[in-house]
Amino acid sequence: MSLATDVAAPTTTHRMTVLRLGPDAAQFCDDAVVEEVPVAIAYNGIVHAVMLATPDDLEEFGLGFSLTEGIIADAEELESLRVVEGCDGIEVRMEIPMERFMALKGKRRSIAGRSGCGVCGVESLQAIARSGQPVPSGGRLSVGAVERALPRFAERQTLHRATGAAHGVAWVNAAGEILAVREDVGRHNALDKLIGWLVRTGVDRRGGFVLTSSRASYELVQKAARLGISGLVAISAPTGMAVRMAESCGVSLAGFARGDRLVVYSHGDRWV
């Protein structure tokens, strides 16, 4: 797989003057807001979707998106990837085998996807309900590992600390060590970036899990299941659809992670 980028160092935040209002005073001061830009996902010269995303780690985003959307079956099928900057946004140009490209006709998405929505452009409700392949158990999951990871996770969400407007996801190994963190205005975009990193680096996923700062919605479970990730832990709550999908796919889903406490919603027998 050939990877290249023609985009300058990404600008993920924008500085601006804001007016802070309080009960006793009004003050102008400097602040940062997170950037989101249109990112066109193109295969073999044809744009498949346009997502609003934070403009960093886009090579990983393109790879992760291709895998979690089922456009390719493994990274070897991605023949090349090039990130190109245009007047109105950024294009991730990828080349895939012709049989995979032809199969996209049955997986059409609308031309635009909002940053906070994982269903935008899915053609039918049946497509939303599709379940992934059953996930192997992947080893035991540890409450202690979650407890060790949580403080480090907060420290490493630099974009969120600067702006308060970015979702973060981390890969945590069985010992509770955070190996990577990715952030984006869209929680599903952040997970695609992390999955791209996991596949590119070949990290051993046994006994590890994804830790997310957002609620656990169905698309996060679906994306994790497609890559055989057996554990997903959220700081916030899951949705009912996410729980049902996790149960059917073999993903152990937990929420409300707080120190040494969490709530397990599916496959609780894997936890120690």
Side-chain angles (χ1 to χ4, degrees):
M1 175 175 56
S2 171
L3 299 178
T5 180
D6 293 333
V7 177
T11 301
T12 57
T13 61
H14 172 70
R15 306 299 304 188
M16 63 179 299
T17 300
V18 300
L19 175 62
R20 294 190 185 277
L21 300 175
D24 302 317
Q27 182 181 14
F28 287 98
C29 58
D30 184 64
D31 202 359
V33 294
V34 70
E35 287 289 2
E36 57 180 345
V37 302
V39 177
I41 306 295
Y43 297 97
N44 297 16
I46 304 297
V47 172
H48 174 61
V50 178
M51 308 299 292
L52 290 175
T54 304
D56 61 350
D57 303 310
L58 293 180
E59 295 94 341
E60 294 170 350
F61 178 49
L63 173 58
F65 180 93
S66 301
L67 289 165
T68 63
E69 291 294 316
I71 293 167
I72 57 175
D74 58 64
E76 296 302 316
E77 291 185 333
L78 187 57
E79 297 168 353
S80 68
L81 183 155
R82 190 174 193 88
V83 180
V84 179
E85 192 164 14
C87 297
D88 299 319
I90 298 174
E91 189 169 313
V92 181
R93 298 175 180 173
M94 291 172 279
E95 294 293 326
I96 58 176
M98 185 54 64
E99 61 270 23
R100 292 293 185 186
F101 177 66
M102 296 303 294
L104 283 179
K105 291 182 177 180
K107 298 179 180 179
R108 295 193 305 272
R109 293 171 67 95
S110 68
I111 197 64
R114 296 187 297 275
S115 59
C117 177
V119 241
C120 300
V122 175
E123 197 169 65
S124 67
L125 292 176
Q126 288 79 9
I128 296 173
R130 73 186 187 273
S131 61
Q133 295 296 318
V135 176
S137 64
R140 306 289 280 178
L141 298 165
S142 165
V143 177
V146 178
E147 182 181 9
R148 287 188 289 275
L150 283 171
R152 303 288 184 268
F153 186 37
E155 292 170 3
R156 292 185 60 174
Q157 291 178 67
T158 56
L159 191 57
H160 178 75
R161 290 209 317 273
T163 67
H167 295 292
V169 294
W171 179 254
V172 183
N173 67 13
E177 300 169 327
I178 293 179
L179 302 189
V181 173
R182 293 293 181 267
E183 294 180 275
D184 198 278
V185 289
R187 59 186 179 272
H188 52 92
N189 295 342
L191 183 55
D192 278 338
K193 291 177 179 181
L194 183 70
I195 286 173
W197 174 85
L198 281 168
V199 172
R200 286 182 65 182
T201 56
V203 168
D204 185 358
R205 298 196 286 272
R206 290 173 299 179
F209 57 90
V210 168
L211 179 61
T212 176
S213 66
S214 71
R215 73 180 186 274
S217 50
Y218 99 92
E219 78 268 20
L220 297 189
V221 175
Q222 187 180 76
K223 287 176 180 292
R226 280 189 177 273
L227 267 291
I229 294 170
S230 62
L232 176 61
V233 178
I235 290 177
S236 188
T239 66
M241 184 180 286
V243 173
R244 291 188 292 274
M245 182 168 286
E247 187 64 42
S248 67
C249 290
V251 174
S252 185
L253 175 62
F256 295 107
R258 304 285 190 276
D260 61 353
R261 299 183 181 184
L262 49 77
V263 179
V264 179
Y265 293 87
S266 62
H267 301 284
D269 56 311
R270 297 182 192 167
W271 286 86
V272 294

